[in-house]
């Protein structure tokens, strides 16, 4: 656990130090890459690869990637999945920004960072069947096809023993909104 914290701290320091070296469009890094991972240009991504605004992260079978964004949002992309970073704006001083990402296919687990703590409307995850807004929580999205996505709240909930602010999800198909506030609860969104 201590090694994980040290690695996380080193990645944050790397992201915010020597900014003149990085392109202003860099928004995160691949913190962990296993197997075959690529971007929309079919360039191979490995641990330490930079993620830029507008990038797609594509994993093949038996592959996965964990992406750490500059606001500390963590995106864990499962095998045979595709995630697109549609929009990312972040001011590290005020911790205000906006993230819009699209899960095209596959499984993505999201641990929200600073942006959604300030305003949950500023983190949106799109799927082919709808979208999800999140506040200070951890959740998973499984997009099986263009017609079916499952969203599961992983935590923390209202009665957590860590004293953490409870997270919640608002899931919509464009017509109906569902709020998920209990960890382990899920909704399936059909097109």
């Amino acid at each position: 656990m201590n090694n994980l914290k040290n690695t996380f701290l080193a990645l944050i320091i790397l992201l915010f130090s020597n900014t003149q070296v990085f392109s202003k469009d860099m928004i995160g890094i691949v913190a962990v890459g296993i197997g075959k991972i690529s971007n929309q240009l079919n360039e191979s991504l490995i641990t330490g690869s930079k993620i830029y605004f507008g990038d797609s992260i594509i994993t093949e079978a038996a592959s996965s990637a964990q992406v750490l964004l500059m606001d500390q949002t963590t995106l864990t992309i499962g095998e045979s999945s595709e995630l697109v970073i549609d929009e990312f704006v972040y001011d590290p001083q005020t911790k205000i920004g906006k993230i819009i990402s699209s899960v095209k296919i596959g499984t993505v687990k999201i641990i929200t960072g600073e942006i959604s703590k300030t305003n949950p409307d500023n983190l949106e995850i799109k799927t082919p069947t709808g979208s999800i807004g999140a506040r200070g929580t951890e959740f998973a999205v499984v997009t099986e096809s263009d017609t079916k996505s499952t969203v599961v709240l992983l935590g923390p909930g209202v009665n957590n023993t860590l004293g953490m602010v409870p997270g919640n999800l608002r899931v919509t198909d464009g017509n109906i909104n569902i709020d998920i506030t209990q960890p382990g609860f899920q909704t399936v969104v059909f097109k």
Side-chain angles (χ1 to χ4, degrees):
M1 186 69 173
N2 230 2
N3 287 338
L4 182 61
K5 286 181 183 178
N6 290 338
T7 302
F8 183 73
L9 181 60
L11 291 172
I12 294 297
I13 291 170
L14 176 66
L15 282 173
F16 291 111
S17 65
N18 297 324
T19 54
Q20 70 274 9
V21 175
F22 297 134
S23 165
K24 65 181 179 179
D25 295 330
M26 189 189 98
I27 60 168
I29 60 169
V30 176
V32 179
I34 299 169
K36 291 186 176 187
I37 308 158
S38 61
N39 63 16
Q40 71 281 4
L41 303 173
N42 205 28
E43 298 169 334
S44 181
L45 299 175
I46 59 171
T47 300
S49 292
K50 297 173 188 174
I51 300 298
Y52 297 93
F53 171 79
D55 271 356
S56 292
I57 298 101
I58 304 159
T59 59
E60 295 188 19
S63 302
S64 62
Q66 187 171 70
V67 174
L68 178 63
L69 300 178
M70 292 181 74
D71 80 316
Q72 299 177 13
T73 294
T74 305
L75 307 164
T76 304
I77 303 147
E79 68 175 333
S80 302
S81 300
E82 180 177 357
L83 173 93
V84 179
I85 308 293
D86 298 311
E87 184 175 336
F88 185 89
V89 178
Y90 179 62
D91 180 348
Q93 272 69 32
T94 63
K95 299 185 183 200
I96 295 174
K98 185 167 185 120
I99 300 172
I100 300 175
S101 293
S102 299
V103 178
K104 300 294 187 185
I105 192 75
T107 303
V108 178
K109 182 175 95 172
I110 297 104
I111 301 174
T112 60
E114 295 295 333
I115 288 175
S116 77
K117 287 179 186 173
T118 321
N119 185 346
D121 293 334
N122 288 341
L123 182 136
E124 181 181 3
I125 304 296
K126 296 179 180 181
T127 68
T129 59
S131 65
I132 304 115
R135 173 184 289 245
T137 195
E138 181 178 354
F139 62 102
V141 178
V142 180
T143 299
E144 297 176 32
S145 68
D146 285 345
T147 59
K148 182 182 177 186
S149 295
T150 304
V151 180
V152 181
L153 176 62
L154 300 173
V158 176
N159 298 319
N160 70 76
T161 58
L162 302 174
M164 297 173 72
V165 174
N168 70 310
L169 300 176
R170 172 155 286 182
V171 182
T172 183
D173 67 356
N175 296 315
I176 300 171
N177 295 323
I178 302 285
D179 289 323
I180 305 175
T181 58
Q182 294 294 322
F185 279 46
Q186 69 179 16
T187 187
V188 179
V189 185
F190 294 97
K191 191 176 214 178

